[in-house]
Amino acid sequence: MSSGKQRVDGQPAFLLQAHPYRETSLVVDVFSRDFGRIGLVARGAKRPRAALRGVLVEFQPLELGWFGQGELRTLARAEWQRAWPMLSGPRLLLGYYLNELLQRLLAREDAHPALFDRYADTLQKLALAPGETAGHQVLLRSFEKSLLQELGYGLTLDVDAHGTALAGDASYHYVPDQGLVAGDAQAPHVVGLTGAQALAISGDDYGDPQVARLARTLMRTLIAHYLQGQELRTRRVFIELQDL
């Protein structure tokens, strides 16, 4: 933990992205449990014999130490906490999608310990899960919901916008920043669903293929709304591959 404002040690974190910096260093964007997203300079990390070279890997739990102030701190050390299988194939693309969501929607130095734990759990389950797509989609929808809820966007699917219990056979549509409103959707890009379908999504019950499709559409619509027109590179890749 911290020994003053300028130095942090023993901090659980994940690497979100790394960029070359000068000839031998990297700038890394990390998601830490107690400090949120932090930018760090990993000096000398590109050198062939650098201790950091094989440690700074996406989707593996790390323990980091850093020091300094300002927009970019200096990475002092990095160690693997434990290792699980590397993501590959569709699971690797899903991991990059999660990372891009965090980079686009999380502000710098805004701590979300509960979201960090959910992200770590999601990555571990992706790494250890069999290769079937349906289970991956359940993990993805659950993380997207947690992300929107944690960021304060008021994603509520078990009651309507007035806090009233849902009627299973009634029609609703979801309005960003408000919630479920009774009645059929009257505008494009507004997701309509029944009370029973909303409750199924709330409980991560995607046994009904139509509920799974609605959940995907709803999450896609809400995330696009909060990104304010920014396009997700990873989503474009998934759409092209028809996997997301």
Side-chain angles (χ1 to χ4, degrees):
M1 292 299 293
S2 176
S3 59
K5 292 184 179 180
Q6 295 185 339
R7 183 172 291 274
V8 171
D9 197 20
Q11 179 62 206
F14 285 89
L15 173 67
L16 297 178
Q17 195 172 37
H19 297 286
Y21 180 67
R22 297 179 178 172
E23 292 185 3
T24 62
S25 301
L26 295 171
V27 169
V28 296
D29 188 14
V30 303
F31 181 32
S32 67
R33 190 177 193 279
D34 300 315
F35 298 87
R37 280 183 57 227
I38 300 287
L40 303 171
V41 177
R43 300 193 183 282
K46 291 170 60 180
R47 293 189 179 120
R49 297 183 181 179
L52 295 173
R53 188 177 178 89
V55 178
L56 295 175
V57 178
E58 293 106 329
F59 317 124
Q60 293 292 325
L62 305 173
E63 184 178 278
L64 305 182
W66 64 80
F67 61 89
Q69 293 180 318
E71 185 175 348
L72 288 177
R73 314 329 169 47
T74 298
L75 181 64
R77 72 176 190 90
E79 297 177 2
W80 281 23
Q81 286 189 302
R82 58 191 182 281
W84 50 58
M86 294 290 187
L87 300 183
S88 61
R91 290 178 291 177
L92 180 62
L93 292 176
L94 288 174
Y96 282 126
Y97 172 69
L98 298 182
N99 283 7
E100 189 173 12
L101 283 181
L102 292 175
Q103 288 183 290
R104 295 292 187 91
L105 291 173
L106 282 184
R108 290 278 191 181
E109 300 185 49
D110 186 12
H112 292 277
L115 181 63
F116 178 91
D117 293 342
R118 173 55 66 92
Y119 172 77
D121 181 66
T122 302
L123 286 183
Q124 185 175 30
K125 287 177 178 176
L126 275 177
L128 299 175
E132 53 95 9
T133 303
H136 300 165
Q137 296 300 320
V138 172
L139 287 173
L140 190 58
R141 299 289 90 82
S142 180
F143 180 81
E144 289 169 332
K145 286 195 311 175
S146 296
L147 174 62
L148 294 179
Q149 289 166 342
E150 182 71 18
L151 295 181
Y153 291 133
L155 180 62
T156 303
L157 293 165
D158 55 353
V159 294
D160 70 12
H162 303 290
T164 304
L166 303 182
D169 58 352
S171 296
Y172 298 88
H173 59 280
Y174 201 96
V175 179
D177 302 316
Q178 293 185 40
L180 288 166
V181 177
D184 293 325
Q186 300 297 322
H189 309 300
V190 175
V191 180
L193 66 173
T194 67
Q197 290 168 336
L199 290 170
I201 296 171
S202 179
D204 287 329
D205 179 2
Y206 303 113
D208 182 342
Q210 186 176 3
V211 171
R213 288 192 295 270
L214 279 170
R216 179 181 60 187
T217 302
L218 177 61
M219 292 303 110
R220 183 181 297 176
T221 301
L222 292 175
I223 288 169
H225 172 78
Y226 293 117
L227 285 173
Q228 298 180 336
Q230 299 180 72
E231 184 181 17
L232 289 170
R233 297 183 300 273
T234 46
R235 186 177 289 285
R236 185 172 66 248
V237 173
F238 274 118
I239 290 173
E240 290 172 358
L241 297 176
Q242 297 183 343
D243 281 337
L244 184 64

